[in-house]
Amino acid sequence: MNSLSRRKFLKISGATIATAAVLAGSAKTFVKASKKISERKGLEIIPTYCDLCFWKCGALAYIEDGKLWKVEGNPADPLSNGRLCPRGTGGVGAHYDPDRLKSPLIRKSLRGEEKWIDVTWDEAFDYIAEKMIKIKNEYGPESVALFSHGIGGSFLKHLIRAYGSPNETAPSFAQCRGPREVGFELTFGDVVGSPERTDIENTRCLTLIGSHLGENMHNTQVQEFSRAVERGASIIVVDPRFSVAASKAKYYLPIKPGTDLALLLAWMSIIVNEKLYDAEYISKYGTGFDLFVAEVSKYTPEWAYVETGIEPDLIRETAREMARYKPASLVHPGRHATWYGDDAQRSRAIALLNALLGSWGRKGGFYQTHSFSIPKYPYPPYPELKKESVHNPNNKYPFATGEQISTGIREATITGKPYPIKGWFVYGTNLMQALPNQNETVEAIQNLDLMVVVDVIPSEIAGWADVVLPESVYLERYDDLNTSPFKEAFVGIRQPVIEEPNDQKPNWWMAKKIAEKIGLGNYFPWKDVEEYLDTRLQAADLSLQELKTKGIIKAPQQPIYFEDGAEPEFLTPSGKIEFYSSQLAEAGFDPVPRYTKHPDPPPGYFRLIYGRAPVHTFSKTQSNPLLKDMMDENELWVNTDIAEKYGLNHGVYIKLKNQDGVVSNKIKVRVTERIRTDCVYMVHGFGQKSRQLRSTFNKGASDSELITKYTIDPLMGGTAMNVNFVTFEMEA
Amino acid sequence: MHEIFTTRNNPYVDPIMAMWEWQIPVYLFLGGMVAGMMIIAGYFLFSGRHKESNCACFSIPFTSLILLSLGMFALFLDLAHKPYVWRLYTTFQLKSPMSWGAWILILVYPALIANILIRPSQWMINRVPKLSEIAGKIQQHHILIRNIGILNMLFGLMLGAYTGVLLSTLGSRPLWNTSLLWVLFLVSGLSAAAAYVHLVAKNKAESELLAKADNGFLVVELFVFVMMFLGLLSSAKPHIEAANLLLNGAYAPIFWVFVIGMGIVIPLIIQLLAVNHKVKHTPIAPIMVIVGGLILRFVIVSAGQYSHWFNAHFH
Amino acid sequence: MARFGMVIDTKKCVGCQDCVIACKTENKVPEGHDRDWIVTESHGKFPDILMEIRTERCNHCSNTPCVSCCPTGASHIHDVGGVVLVNHDLCIGCKACVESCPYDARFIHPDGYADKCTFCIHRVEKGLKPACVEVCPTYCMHFGDLDDPNSEVSKLLQSRKYHVNLPEAGTQPNIFYLI
Ligand code: SF4
Ligand code: SF4
Ligand code: SF4
């Protein structure tokens, strides 16, 4: 490559890099592509997309003499702009993780004891097929459910639907961003979605309430956040902890946990009473504004001060600040929104605040997304469903639409109502840490006749399986196409850049093989995944070969702001932005959000709050050697005054006991001024109990273990988890 | 409150530098003691006492040779890239005390050997009879013997000073960053060497003389300590903190008890009483001095690595 | 002659360690060792806190105790950009340089030689930027020739306030932190 920069290099040889091996400084540039990757010589750069989280950034994998060397961002990718986040950069560690699952396993003793027999793939599939057929005969196909997270689950979803079950869920709804999507949909008729449609890059005022950007590394958002900082955008951060984002903020509001809705209502009342809202926008697109005004205008900052602990003047000043920059003023909707049980209403309040600022559909607010339209594979029609999903019987949670409530399926598995669930497929999600109250999860599992876990590592949930299927990591497999809705429509491909080190297999292969074993082979008519992808791509006039070479193909730009011609469309019953929601009123809920008080921790107890670290994704990356090297345990953030009062020294290990008497693993104390005195904080995902994950076993404490209590959001069934209180157990 | 967090976690660097473990203090101690021995032996030659038949000073060059080799072996053990050790002698790095040290050692060995050759022991002559012939030749040249004495004193001085300079040029460690460190190590080396002779000499007068000399060295050493701490304490904050590490910080117990108390003050009192015939000479005192000298090197190396500029930067 | 340096915007850095991981993969830094790292420094009493986040590494100083103390010449100043490097084949692993650096920027590689940031000289000489600069998702790092008044780094230093680490150590570091 001599002195050519990588970018130049990519431009020049863009068409050939992927399949051709490039030998630095050698005349022998091309190697037969058919040869096994691990046997090739020279430097080869293969595009794919990342799977360390669900953002799906476009990446370039570097293979040096047949060994995986590094992963960089694909400069052609609009999500990463050529730069991956720390987890993505550490993605190679997933391939090299010594704790990876290596071959299929069948349980040989009690569930959860993690005792296994190594079996062949055929034996594993026979076991699964036999149970699936039995369950279908005895209970009907609906009695098998799938829990999956990430795009890798798509072929298993297809399998489950072909098998005849409607029960297919992901914890990312009811345990994470569900309330947000529901709150926004009730207001604007559309969800925020993933990647979030936030135009942080162009905003002039960014309000973060329930988002710790910078510790949460969703790549595009962090890149845009940094640009906003550089442009001098006004930043308002609301957090009980002085987050990284708080250190970049103009205003930091150290809110008392559980009172965010009070602050939001007070902000809205100021904006309404001082007529700081975008009147033109509201009269054009809004409905029910007067009823809304009548409701919110009573929430004064003085009232909110009592609830939130934030000075009335600071509340006023920040309300005016965000209004000053409207409509390029963005109140970020956050992502993990299941906090206190009124989360959909709180999210709706955020939506309404944005509506007041006129930011939905506007530059510097929420842009309109576009996605590359690629026809689905022409499969035969799925069998007709005989029963509805068990996730939400009798429509108990009327606004749980679009996605299913995972804890609802767990509940049905425990109770057998409305009908029994006898089989679980779990793909790429560690339910032990994703779902609240681990005992209930175990109770449900004990009712199963079949429990299959597909994962790349022996996660905690894998320990409870009957059959564990070791999956290839993302660098070793194809997955479905990525056509995430974004500022510009694009399609991205995930393709193998290196072979599996052992007997791991891609999920598409597993789904197809299981289907064939249970007589559903006709639902997998393609020979292999390449044929599947090629068929889909050809239907969109693209070719697999081209996509494999470039990694990303973009569609022409389309307008994303109303002012540029994007079509305002609100899929609410009224077709407008619903300041007052008749739907909610009809279902017996507050049509305009109202404040509810949440219980405070009893004396001697602290609210347990949790969050993300930039170098890990939930509980799935702790054993990645590169990421483990960055952070191998979590710490308990304790305010300096509290630490002094309880005699806790920085760096000592203690345990936590929650209100239900559950005692955590030991965790290192981080004494800091950067948190309030009424809560403690830890990064989620640690304290893992899987003994096969040798490198992470019992490292740090698990917030999930302490989350035995949860409050259910009556609108959509989300499980609020910031309702647990802990006290210190010194004798660690 | 001021909080600093670093994600760095390098072995032997974080949280506290501990790159140099036991090998370097042992090397510095043996180097310093050998330096002291060379100066004493050199002085004996220079002042013409080589004729005194039972003088212990004639055994110490040989002892020095062994101790120095042990010290160098300790240094070798410390190297992380041992097969490359010869790289020391394919270059001379003007600014590097360690390079100077490597070459000084090359000078020290011939000087010690020359000293040995003046009066080889019977044991050596039995093995290499030619030695007595050589010794005889040397002894005919009085000036040569004086010059060997001068060379031994000179190289001893260089060696002793070097053991301190090695550390004090590493400006990143405030405790070491004092221009008196070489004096301290030199005097401490002299005192350990004197104590050794005091301990082993069969000749009463010689033993007495070295005990007196040692008392002098110990007093000077105390004085150097005072000066060194005054210097550090009147410097920048990191230097003050470094001095306090020894005076009242993490290293204070070991410093006061083993280095000052048992290494200097108590043996000094015993020896003062002994030379004034108040008490009998006891081997305990010189042994304490030697052990104190060794502990001094351990304390300085370890506390030095502990001391840091960051304390200043981060308050 | 060029003098390579970095200008790092602490206002933008979020301390995510991407630079650290990129360095580790690019340079095959052994597990458990860091050539670069993040320092988070905060002052004050909750909620009035001032915080600075920095990515740190060898400062490629203009006055180099680590080079002067080296007995073999292994630790040296490269003829391109004044980058401070270690020649693995000359290094005896005496650790003097590790001790001499006031920033504790060096460590001993498991293979026995002193190791540290190289400013990715192998990339820079090919016209690329150091791996950490190229990966940073906040674009907070800038690399270039400090002696060239028209370089991006020089211009940033002309237009913004900055500090260096431990100026009192007298090493004349070439990494500057914008504040
Ligand atoms: S945000 Fe990070 S982990 Fe997620 S897909 Fe992008 S690079 Fe990978
Ligand atoms: S930071 Fe340390 S290792 Fe780097 S040049 Fe400066 S003194 Fe040498
Ligand atoms: S460790 Fe190596 S590079 Fe460092 S001073 Fe010693 S020989 Fe030189």
Side-chain angles (χ1 to χ4, degrees):
Chain A
M1 271 190 269
N2 301 326
S3 64
L4 282 181
S5 80
R6 200 192 77 226
R7 273 163 212 279
K8 276 189 219 149
F9 167 75
L10 282 174
K11 225 184 274 165
I12 296 165
S13 52
T16 48
I17 50 159
T19 44
V22 181
L23 258 137
S26 154
K28 195 172 133 245
T29 311
F30 295 93
V31 178
K32 263 225 311 281
S34 61
K35 210 168 165 189
K36 278 184 82 181
I37 299 169
S38 52
E39 287 162 9
R40 294 187 212 159
K41 283 270 164 281
L43 184 67
E44 193 170 355
I45 304 168
I46 308 175
T48 186
Y49 66 82
C50 179
D51 191 39
L52 272 282
C53 83
F54 37 74
W55 207 258
K56 309 190 194 78
C57 298
L60 297 177
Y62 285 64
I63 308 295
E64 191 187 45
D65 292 333
K67 280 190 87 178
L68 177 60
W69 171 25
K70 59 175 178 178
V71 195
E72 292 182 352
N74 183 346
D77 167 45
L79 291 169
S80 71
N81 300 305
R83 295 174 179 230
L84 299 180
C85 90
R87 298 162 298 166
T89 306
V92 291
H95 171 71
Y96 289 114
D97 186 345
D99 284 347
R100 282 180 69 171
L101 288 166
K102 297 184 174 66
S103 72
L105 305 172
I106 291 184
R107 173 166 71 85
K108 78 167 175 208
S109 65
L110 292 177
R111 283 197 178 115
E113 285 189 348
E114 298 180 64
K115 301 246 166 64
W116 310 101
I117 312 171
D118 284 4
V119 296
T120 64
W121 282 98
D122 217 38
E123 287 166 330
F125 290 149
D126 280 342
Y127 182 101
I128 295 167
E130 189 191 312
K131 291 277 170 87
M132 283 180 85
I133 291 166
K134 198 159 167 250
I135 293 172
K136 196 176 203 165
N137 292 340
E138 285 176 24
Y139 303 96
E142 305 80 11
S143 291
V144 172
L146 168 68
F147 295 78
S148 82
H149 188 262
I151 196 163
S154 60
F155 294 101
L156 285 170
K157 269 184 210 170
H158 172 58
L159 170 69
I160 292 292
R161 289 288 287 107
Y163 175 73
S165 174
N167 294 304
E168 173 267 302
T169 186
S172 50
F173 179 72
Q175 279 72 47
C176 193
R177 55 187 174 75
R180 178 191 81 181
E181 307 300 33
V182 171
F184 271 70
E185 200 162 13
L186 283 166
T187 311
F188 297 114
D190 202 355
V191 298
V192 178
S194 177
E196 280 84 9
R197 49 166 70 181
T198 45
D199 193 15
I200 301 173
E201 173 161 29
N202 293 307
T203 198
R204 297 179 62 209
C205 176
L206 174 66
T207 304
L208 298 177
I209 175 165
S211 169
H212 53 346
L213 273 185
E215 287 159 279
N216 166 346
M217 284 308 291
H218 294 148
N219 197 347
T220 327
Q221 294 203 61
V222 175
Q223 296 196 13
E224 293 195 10
F225 177 64
S226 155
R227 266 174 238 142
V229 170
E230 176 165 5
R231 275 188 304 95
S234 196
I235 292 168
I236 301 168
V237 171
V238 183
D239 201 317
R241 187 178 61 97
F242 189 85
S243 59
V244 165
S247 74
K248 319 276 181 204
K250 181 168 174 192
Y251 299 100
Y252 169 53
L253 283 61
I255 195 165
K256 176 179 162 189
T259 67
D260 306 70
L261 188 48
L263 175 66
L264 289 161
L265 290 165
W267 273 341
M268 290 196 281
S269 101
I270 294 160
I271 292 174
V272 161
N273 292 336
E274 299 185 7
K275 301 217 176 344
L276 302 172
Y277 48 82
D278 188 337
E280 195 193 324
Y281 177 92
I282 291 170
S283 68
K284 206 161 157 194
Y285 304 122
T287 176
F289 188 62
D290 294 341
L291 291 168
F292 164 82
V293 169
E295 173 64 29
V296 298
S297 52
K298 65 180 185 225
Y299 294 106
T300 64
E302 282 69 21
W303 164 82
Y305 168 65
V306 178
E307 296 300 319
T308 61
I310 297 167
E311 296 290 339
D313 281 345
L314 186 54
I315 300 179
R316 271 195 197 90
E317 207 177 320
T318 44
R320 290 173 191 150
E321 180 83 1
M322 60 182 86
R324 177 172 311 137
Y325 297 109
K326 69 172 184 294
S329 180
L330 172 68
V331 185
H332 195 283
R335 184 165 182 115
H336 180 81
T338 44
W339 300 351
Y340 304 110
D342 55 357
D343 306 305
Q345 288 284 19
R346 185 191 62 250
S347 296
R348 180 161 144 75
I350 294 176
L352 288 167
L353 183 55
N354 279 297
L356 287 176
L357 299 168
S359 66
W360 182 268
R362 310 284 279 280
K363 186 171 182 182
F366 294 80
Y367 60 79
Q368 215 169 62
T369 61
H370 300 284
S371 50
F372 211 117
S373 119
I374 296 185
K376 289 209 164 75
Y377 189 90
Y379 287 126
Y382 289 130
E384 207 180 308
L385 293 173
K386 299 208 186 67
K387 297 177 195 160
E388 277 191 355
S389 164
V390 293
H391 82 104
N392 187 13
N394 304 322
N395 218 16
K396 185 169 172 199
Y397 306 108
F399 299 97
T401 50
E403 294 179 59
Q404 297 189 15
I405 305 168
S406 49
T407 28
I409 293 182
R410 181 179 73 177
E411 181 71 17
T413 313
I414 295 172
T415 61
K417 294 193 177 81
Y419 55 84
I421 295 292
K422 286 292 166 187
W424 277 14
F425 274 78
V426 181
Y427 175 85
T429 170
N430 178 12
L431 295 182
M432 298 310 290
Q433 296 235 13
L435 306 182
N437 197 324
Q438 298 183 340
N439 283 343
E440 287 181 43
T441 307
V442 170
E443 198 184 335
I445 292 171
Q446 300 297 18
N447 282 349
L448 296 173
D449 293 342
L450 174 65
M451 164 82 170
V452 182
V453 169
V454 182
D455 214 328
V456 295
I457 49 164
S459 58
E460 290 166 291
I461 192 69
W464 291 92
D466 300 334
V467 189
V468 181
L469 303 179
E471 196 194 9
S472 323
V473 301
Y474 72 106
L475 294 163
E476 302 153 355
R477 67 177 198 240
Y478 281 104
D479 266 326
D480 214 336
L481 302 167
N482 176 25
T483 55
S484 294
F486 193 59
K487 280 184 193 178
E488 47 192 324
F490 68 91
V491 53
I493 189 164
R494 177 173 293 156
Q495 61 180 324
V497 304
I498 189 88
E499 283 98 15
E500 295 87 355
N502 315 93
D503 199 14
Q504 298 91 348
K505 294 283 183 194
N507 59 70
W508 61 264
W509 182 86
M510 297 180 209
K512 183 172 161 71
K513 290 285 170 196
I514 296 172
E516 284 164 4
K517 288 255 179 201
I518 57 175
L520 297 172
N522 60 319
Y523 281 97
F524 290 81
W526 31 267
K527 177 170 89 348
D528 56 21
V529 70
E530 293 195 16
E531 187 183 309
Y532 163 87
L533 295 171
D534 206 25
T535 311
R536 283 195 68 191
L537 286 165
Q538 277 183 20
D541 287 326
L542 299 172
S543 89
L544 178 62
Q545 205 45 51
E546 187 190 0
L547 191 55
K548 281 179 63 139
T549 310
K550 294 184 177 161
I552 302 277
I553 295 176
K554 293 188 207 173
Q557 284 274 6
Q558 284 168 277
I560 58 172
Y561 310 124
F562 295 169
E563 55 268 40
D564 293 347
E567 191 60 45
E569 194 185 12
F570 303 99
L571 298 172
T572 52
S574 61
K576 299 211 156 199
I577 301 174
E578 301 208 331
F579 283 92
Y580 177 96
S581 170
S582 318
Q583 296 189 71
L584 281 173
E586 277 158 29
F589 297 109
D590 298 332
V592 175
R594 266 180 216 235
Y595 184 63
T596 36
K597 238 179 155 55
H598 300 295
D600 288 334
Y605 279 79
F606 304 87
R607 190 182 297 275
L608 174 64
I609 57 176
Y610 52 87
R612 289 166 168 272
V615 292
H616 284 292
T617 302
F618 317 136
S619 61
K620 72 177 202 174
T621 51
Q622 277 77 2
S623 63
N624 174 317
L626 277 161
L627 301 180
K628 181 179 57 137
D629 215 4
M630 297 297 107
M631 179 183 188
D632 63 354
E633 63 181 334
N634 56 356
E635 294 175 330
L636 184 76
W637 292 46
V638 180
N639 177 280
T640 319
D641 295 342
I642 298 299
E644 198 172 317
K645 188 169 157 199
Y646 287 82
L648 298 177
N649 288 329
H650 189 76
V652 301
Y653 284 86
I654 61 162
K655 291 181 175 179
L656 295 174
K657 186 164 88 182
N658 79 353
Q659 70 283 333
D660 297 326
V662 172
V663 178
S664 75
N665 196 22
K666 67 179 172 40
I667 182 168
K668 200 186 205 170
V669 172
R670 171 172 177 155
V671 176
T672 177
E673 282 293 349
R674 290 175 52 198
I675 189 165
R676 284 176 63 96
T677 51
D678 52 5
C679 53
V680 291
Y681 170 85
M682 68 170 79
V683 168
H684 170 78
F686 287 89
Q688 297 201 30
K689 291 283 192 298
S690 168
R691 277 184 296 272
Q692 290 164 280
L693 273 178
R694 283 158 300 177
S695 53
T696 67
F697 177 64
N698 266 346
K699 287 264 171 73
S702 158
D703 54 317
S704 314
E705 196 181 11
L706 294 165
I707 298 173
T708 48
K709 187 175 163 200
Y710 57 94
T711 315
I712 299 186
D713 192 314
L715 270 66
M716 46 66 71
T719 56
M721 301 187 272
N722 287 14
V723 296
N724 289 270
F725 305 131
V726 294
T727 185
F728 308 127
E729 289 265 294
M730 303 302 174
E731 63 285 332
Chain B
M1 198 171 106
H2 188 154
E3 298 171 24
I4 310 145
F5 288 91
T6 171
T7 65
R8 191 183 60 206
N9 197 11
N10 283 327
Y12 305 105
V13 176
D14 300 300
I16 293 157
M17 177 77 70
M19 270 288 153
W20 282 338
E21 298 169 293
W22 62 270
Q23 299 93 333
I24 294 295
V26 165
Y27 164 67
L28 294 179
F29 168 71
L30 292 175
M33 187 157 153
V34 166
M37 288 174 163
M38 289 177 77
I39 294 171
I40 290 170
Y43 175 72
F44 271 54
L45 292 183
F46 178 72
S47 56
R49 298 199 203 182
H50 59 280
K51 285 168 209 139
E52 289 167 30
S53 60
N54 57 351
C55 176
C57 295
F58 283 93
S59 74
I60 59 175
F62 187 67
T63 315
S64 301
L65 203 63
I66 292 169
L67 293 182
L68 190 62
S69 305
L70 282 177
M72 287 190 63
F73 187 63
L75 175 66
F76 174 73
L77 287 183
D78 179 64
L79 298 184
H81 226 191
K82 295 187 182 60
Y84 289 67
V85 60
W86 53 275
R87 290 289 191 189
L88 280 171
Y89 294 106
T90 54
T91 178
F92 172 63
Q93 296 291 325
L94 189 66
K95 286 184 181 170
S96 164
M98 204 175 267
S99 186
W100 276 91
W103 288 106
I104 288 174
L105 289 167
I106 294 290
L107 299 176
V108 161
Y109 272 96
L112 281 173
I113 288 168
N115 194 346
I116 292 168
L117 288 181
I118 297 173
R119 246 197 71 171
S121 69
Q122 201 54 47
W123 180 82
M124 285 184 229
I125 294 169
N126 289 348
R127 267 156 195 82
V128 190
K130 189 115 200 263
L131 286 180
S132 81
E133 203 178 300
I134 297 173
K137 284 211 179 109
I138 297 175
Q139 283 179 10
Q140 286 160 18
H141 303 282
H142 198 68
I143 299 292
L144 182 60
I145 292 176
R146 273 176 81 95
N147 281 331
I148 292 176
I150 291 173
L151 277 185
N152 267 278
M153 285 196 286
L154 183 68
F155 293 158
L157 190 74
M158 284 164 71
L159 177 63
Y162 149 73
T163 63
V165 171
L166 175 66
L167 296 185
S168 62
T169 50
L170 299 173
S172 58
R173 312 286 139 192
L175 180 66
W176 298 342
N177 199 354
T178 152
S179 52
L180 284 178
L181 199 64
W182 72 268
V183 187
L184 178 70
F185 278 12
L186 183 65
V187 178
S188 162
L190 275 167
S191 127
Y196 177 77
V197 181
H198 168 46
L199 188 68
V200 300
K202 297 204 180 68
N203 179 327
K204 274 271 146 52
E206 187 191 4
S207 175
E208 189 77 10
L209 176 69
L210 269 300
K212 283 182 184 154
D214 196 14
N215 288 348
F217 293 141
L218 290 173
V219 171
V220 174
E221 194 178 342
L222 278 178
F223 178 72
V224 175
F225 263 125
V226 172
M227 290 293 110
M228 195 179 101
F229 281 123
L230 282 180
L232 285 171
L233 288 172
S234 56
S235 256
K237 194 164 174 189
H239 296 94
I240 297 173
E241 279 172 355
N244 283 334
L245 270 181
L246 298 190
L247 295 177
N248 53 34
Y251 289 86
I254 178 165
F255 175 71
W256 286 114
V257 175
F258 290 102
V259 178
I260 299 295
M262 296 173 67
I264 301 180
V265 176
I266 295 175
L268 180 60
I269 293 170
I270 295 176
Q271 289 181 164
L272 275 176
L273 293 174
V275 295
N276 290 314
H277 310 294
K278 299 273 178 4
V279 297
K280 270 200 170 157
H281 275 291
T282 154
I284 302 277
I287 288 175
M288 281 171 120
V289 170
I290 292 170
V291 173
L294 179 61
I295 296 177
L296 169 70
R297 304 310 192 285
F298 271 96
V299 169
I300 296 287
V301 168
S302 166
Q305 295 184 93
Y306 192 110
S307 73
H308 206 290
W309 279 95
F310 271 93
N311 307 342
H313 189 56
F314 293 143
H315 309 293
Chain C
M1 207 183 86
R3 177 168 58 107
F4 287 148
M6 278 186 189
V7 173
I8 295 169
D9 192 341
T10 63
K11 287 271 179 262
K12 284 160 68 178
C13 175
V14 294
C16 70
Q17 304 186 65
D18 209 351
C19 45
V20 182
I21 302 173
C23 172
K24 294 199 105 166
T25 56
E26 175 69 32
N27 296 303
K28 305 185 174 90
V29 180
E31 203 175 322
H33 297 73
D34 299 316
R35 280 190 184 182
D36 51 349
W37 57 92
I38 305 296
V39 171
T40 311
E41 196 180 347
S42 61
H43 300 262
K45 183 91 191 138
F46 187 84
D48 300 312
I49 290 169
L50 279 179
M51 186 160 106
E52 179 176 295
I53 306 173
R54 297 188 294 268
T55 163
E56 298 190 353
R57 59 194 44 59
C58 165
N59 284 286
H60 296 273
C61 306
S62 291
N63 186 14
T64 44
C66 54
V67 171
S68 338
C69 74
C70 178
T72 66
S75 195
H76 67 283
I77 295 169
H78 190 54
D79 44 19
V80 179
V83 175
V84 178
L85 298 177
V86 177
N87 181 337
H88 302 173
D89 295 332
L90 289 182
C91 174
I92 59 172
C94 71
K95 308 163 193 170
C97 57
V98 184
E99 300 278 0
S100 79
C101 170
Y103 307 96
D104 292 354
R106 295 179 173 230
F107 58 88
I108 296 293
H109 190 283
D111 289 346
Y113 52 84
D115 200 10
K116 66 170 193 70
C117 161
T118 60
F119 266 172
C120 279
I121 192 72
H122 64 290
R123 289 172 62 95
V124 172
E125 286 183 338
K126 280 189 205 150
L128 300 171
K129 299 235 172 79
C132 53
V133 174
E134 194 87 322
V135 81
C136 175
T138 71
Y139 301 80
C140 78
M141 303 168 71
H142 308 270
F143 177 84
D145 180 4
L146 294 160
D147 280 349
D148 171 3
N150 294 316
S151 67
E152 185 195 21
V153 281
S154 299
K155 285 193 176 141
L156 279 165
L157 293 183
Q158 282 151 26
S159 62
R160 294 268 303 265
K161 279 198 201 152
Y162 59 84
H163 72 80
V164 295
N165 280 347
L166 294 179
E168 59 274 39
T171 50
Q172 295 173 30
N174 283 314
I175 294 186
F176 297 82
Y177 295 95
L178 300 176
I179 47 176

